Every structure is written in C-alpha cells, then in structure tokens.
Amino acid sequence: MTSRERHQPSALAQAVRDLLQANSEATHTLADRLGVGVTDAVALDHLLSSNDGLGPTELGQRLRIRSASATTLVDRLHASGHAQRVPHPSDRRRQTVVATDTAYEQVLVALKPLLDRIEEAVARLSPDQAEVTAAFLREVTAAMHDYASGPPD
C-alpha cells in the first residue's frame, strides 16, 4: 500500500483542497485580466483587504519577498495606477501603500462573474446551512493561518 493510498482525505477535506486549487487558478486569471503579474494581484488583494493600507515592509512580509522586491512591486503598482503611497496615519516618517479607487473598480469588474456564482451558491443554502458552512470555513481558515505562521514540524 502506498502513502497516497493510506491517506485518503475525507470528501470534505478533498473539497477544501479542490477549493484551494481553484483559488490559485482564479488568482492567475485575475492577474491576467488586470494585466499584472500574479504577485502583483496577490499584493492588490492584501491592499484591498486592509482598511488603512500597508507599509511596504509589511506588504513584503505578507508576500514573503525581500524589502527591495517589495519596493519594486509597489513602484509597479503605482506606475500602473493600482496603488498609491500616502503618509502613515500616525507616523509621518513612514508611508503607507493603499489601493486606488481604480484598482478597486477593476478588481470588482474582473471578479464579478466569480462573485455572482458564489452568491448564487449561497442563495441555495438554508440559513442553518449557511451558518454551519461559514463556521466550518472560518475554522479551516484559522487552521491555515496557524499552519502558515507556525514553526515547521
């Protein structure tokens, strides 16, 4: 018996794995539709998810790229009109990077077909099913965050 045969994931665990693979494919498609690289698309996702923007160093840490690479990435996003540098809200010596309104609109347009399909799937759930599903996804998300931030086993 091979290792693969010994460890067959549950149907639900396999569905999560499939979801993660589809997310990777969707990220590549989003990058293509925006005319940017995949790292730039992931950076935009981080910026759009942050209410106050991110410092270039923090953005680089989230992407796991070096500081110089993060600066180059921010320069690219700025040149393409997807991001801008603004003064940090509490430390005037620092800058924060924020997504532009144009970037937000372009991402929404590019993701609309996907978001519509997700909302259609949500609409088919009962309120109880939606609540249980959301709780499950939050638990999976927490497990993934713990895995990503934890020490290697």
Side-chain angles (χ1 to χ4, degrees):
M1 182 179 268
T2 67
S3 293
R4 184 178 292 191
E5 292 168 333
R6 279 193 303 267
H7 182 44
Q8 288 296 317
S10 67
L12 198 49
Q14 183 62 47
V16 170
R17 187 193 179 312
D18 294 345
L19 174 66
L20 295 173
Q21 184 64 42
N23 180 67
S24 176
E25 294 167 8
T27 300
H28 282 79
T29 299
L30 175 63
D32 289 345
R33 290 181 181 181
L34 295 175
V36 299
V38 173
T39 303
D40 294 28
V42 174
L44 272 174
D45 183 42
H46 283 285
L47 293 174
L48 291 167
S49 299
S50 172
N51 292 332
D52 299 323
L54 300 169
T57 301
E58 183 181 1
L59 182 59
Q61 289 169 341
R62 289 186 180 198
L63 298 172
R64 297 188 179 184
I65 60 176
R66 293 182 177 171
S67 179
S69 297
T71 299
T72 301
L73 177 135
V74 170
D75 289 344
R76 270 194 320 270
L77 291 175
H78 183 266
S80 67
H82 290 113
Q84 60 186 11
R85 292 175 176 93
V86 297
H88 189 276
S90 61
D91 184 350
R92 58 189 174 147
R93 296 169 295 168
R94 296 179 50 209
Q95 287 188 333
T96 300
V97 182
V98 296
T100 62
D101 290 341
T102 301
Y104 184 78
E105 291 167 16
Q106 288 177 348
V107 168
L108 277 181
V109 167
L111 289 177
K112 186 173 182 348
L114 172 61
L115 298 175
D116 288 349
R117 291 271 310 267
I118 291 169
E119 290 298 336
E120 289 168 9
V122 170
R124 289 190 291 275
L125 298 175
S126 71
D128 287 344
Q129 288 173 320
E131 185 178 324
V132 169
T133 302
F136 171 75
L137 291 174
R138 283 191 293 272
E139 192 170 331
V140 170
T141 300
M144 293 177 72
H145 281 302
D146 290 348
Y147 175 79
S149 64
D153 289 339

